[in-house]
Amino acid sequence: MFSPEHQAFEESVATLARREFHDGYLARATSDDMCWPELAQLGRHGLLGLSLPEDAGGQGADPVTVGIACEQMAKADFNLSYLIFATVLAQGVLTGLPEPVARPIVRAVTAGEQLLALALTEPRGGSDASATSVRARPVPGGYLLSGEKTSVTLGMHAAHAIVVATCDPDAGSRGTRRLLVALDDPTVTRQRIADPGFRPLSRAGLTFDDTFVPAEHEIAGTGSGLAALLADFDLTRTLLGLMVVGAARRAMEATIEWVRDREAFGSPIARFQGVSFNLAEHDTQLEAARWLCYRTLGLRAAGLPHTREAAMCKWWAPRVAVQAINDCIVLHGHVGWSTEMPLQQLLLDVSGVQIGDGTPQIQKLVIARQLIGRRYVG
């Protein structure tokens, strides 16, 4: 159960999200324009960088609070919830870079003036993060970065990207580094990827042509750059689970209203068990997925292991959400097929989360390694 403070925060974010952002979702979601005014509004309401300390523009919030913000915003606008989610990256910048470098960037992010992106995936390898080929060659004063990243969410709009690169390809994960790269550098080329969802956020390919990265822009962390990044996945995978649940709840609420009003054979279609039982099943599964996510965040807040649970959230919650939204479309009949309603766009936006931050196959491998043992499952 939530604490009284969590309950009050949930109510305040839900009220704000519905009042300010709910009705504009479809117009924003079907536009390729970044929603800068709404991002600034999120910053003014203190919803960006929630877990950061107050002197850095955050609220010092615990993981459960961050999850609440992501879930409740996703009920109104899935893409805006992603903008809240993406500010989790600012924590690594704040703790891993010298203060004079980090503070101005983090402040701009929490104010909704700039965006941070993560550049991890490469054209020839998605799930195998240890096989990165983007090269960071040490030179006096820093590194020269060369190579290509792809599937970088926010890549067309971000001011900086955290780029995972290798200093020694033969060293595997031990050779990786995390570098904060300014994307307005003339040696960086951006190319937008055409997607059906995440449209205002953008997804891009980034090419680095001997891009100079100062040594003070290397993000420090425990172990290799990749090890520190993988530790963050336990949080981001769980937050994504809550975001898709929130989006599916929006579809469910619209469908419940629809089946009460829509009549067939002389009565509301809600009277037919083929309709009501379907919604009851999705309600059960969404509620179970939701509390799995919050349990995982509770483990994180308590400093307890939660990698297995985070992987469960990441493979299962998106599947549950996609199925629920798809059935909501079907229950709307021919109206649900129309792009004049938000249901189709919700499905497109949420479906991409099945892939980002690790596919279902990768999540099941993570679970199996902890459940059975790595030496048995590889």
Side-chain angles (χ1 to χ4, degrees):
M1 295 294 292
F2 286 164
S3 69
E5 292 78 14
H6 287 139
Q7 289 177 328
F9 181 73
E10 180 185 49
E11 183 178 345
S12 68
V13 177
T15 300
L16 170 71
R18 185 157 195 96
R19 183 184 69 237
E20 300 292 335
F21 305 119
H22 182 276
D23 293 344
Y25 161 69
L26 184 57
R28 288 188 294 268
T30 53
S31 169
D32 292 331
D33 296 331
M34 173 60 198
C35 29
W36 292 108
E38 290 78 13
L39 178 63
Q41 198 170 352
L42 294 177
R44 288 194 297 273
H45 286 288
L47 293 176
L48 303 178
L50 278 163
S51 61
L52 296 171
E54 292 184 16
D55 62 1
Q59 297 188 30
D62 64 6
V64 172
T65 300
V66 180
I68 290 170
C70 288
E71 180 197 11
Q72 294 305 317
M73 190 57 63
K75 286 184 180 180
D77 188 314
F78 180 80
N79 293 303
L80 295 186
S81 77
Y82 191 93
L83 295 177
I84 296 174
F85 160 86
T87 59
V88 169
L89 291 170
Q91 184 69 51
V93 172
L94 185 65
T95 59
L97 293 180
E99 185 171 338
V101 176
R103 287 278 170 170
I105 296 171
V106 170
R107 279 287 185 179
V109 169
T110 57
E113 297 168 354
Q114 290 185 6
L115 292 167
L116 274 173
L118 174 64
L120 175 62
T121 302
E122 297 187 356
R124 294 180 62 84
S127 298
D128 188 2
S130 65
T132 183
S133 63
V134 170
R135 189 71 182 270
R137 291 181 286 114
V139 295
Y143 298 91
L144 285 180
L145 197 63
S146 59
E148 182 180 357
K149 293 290 185 179
T150 192
S151 197
V152 180
T153 305
L154 302 176
M156 296 302 296
H157 308 303
H160 297 84
I162 297 173
V163 179
V164 178
T166 182
C167 289
D168 182 1
D170 295 329
S173 63
R174 295 187 303 276
T176 59
R177 300 291 184 270
R178 291 182 300 162
L179 305 174
L180 185 72
V181 180
L183 296 184
D184 62 356
D185 189 294
T187 63
V188 178
T189 303
R190 314 190 207 199
Q191 183 173 4
R192 187 171 192 131
I193 299 171
D195 288 320
F198 278 51
R199 286 179 57 183
L201 304 179
S202 82
R203 192 165 61 101
L206 304 177
T207 303
F208 308 99
D209 185 11
D210 281 346
T211 303
F212 178 71
V213 183
E216 58 268 26
H217 282 220
E218 180 179 349
I219 299 175
T222 304
S224 71
L226 182 59
L229 183 66
L230 293 178
D232 292 340
F233 278 159
D234 290 345
L235 174 60
T236 58
R237 287 170 174 169
T238 308
L239 295 178
L240 287 169
L242 284 169
M243 289 159 58
V244 298
V245 166
R249 279 297 180 192
R250 172 176 180 151
M252 288 281 288
E253 290 172 2
T255 305
I256 290 167
E257 183 177 347
W258 171 260
V259 300
R260 286 171 174 164
D261 294 338
R262 176 71 168 175
E263 291 193 359
F265 307 105
S267 66
I269 63 173
R271 289 187 179 275
F272 300 107
Q273 291 180 351
V275 172
S276 61
F277 281 16
N278 183 269
L279 291 172
E281 291 171 2
H282 287 307
D283 182 49
T284 303
Q285 293 185 49
L286 288 169
E287 193 70 4
R290 180 177 188 253
W291 287 108
L292 172 62
C293 293
Y294 279 118
R295 179 179 183 273
T296 304
L297 294 179
L299 291 172
R300 185 178 184 88
L304 297 173
H306 54 289
T307 297
R308 169 174 157 266
E309 290 81 1
M312 292 176 178
C313 296
K314 180 57 182 61
W315 85 260
W316 188 50
R319 188 179 78 169
V320 167
V322 166
Q323 290 174 338
I325 297 170
N326 188 70
D327 279 356
C328 286
I329 291 171
V330 173
L331 289 175
H332 274 79
H334 65 91
V335 176
W337 182 244
S338 171
T339 57
E340 294 179 6
M341 292 189 67
L343 291 174
Q344 291 287 349
Q345 194 58 45
L346 277 171
L347 185 61
L348 293 172
D349 284 340
V350 168
S351 64
V353 180
Q354 297 174 108
I355 301 169
D357 262 35
T359 63
Q361 292 83 359
I362 291 296
Q363 308 310 322
K364 292 172 188 178
L365 179 60
V366 170
I367 297 166
R369 284 174 173 174
Q370 298 217 357
L371 183 66
I372 304 169
R374 184 166 187 148
R375 73 187 184 97
Y376 294 100
V377 299

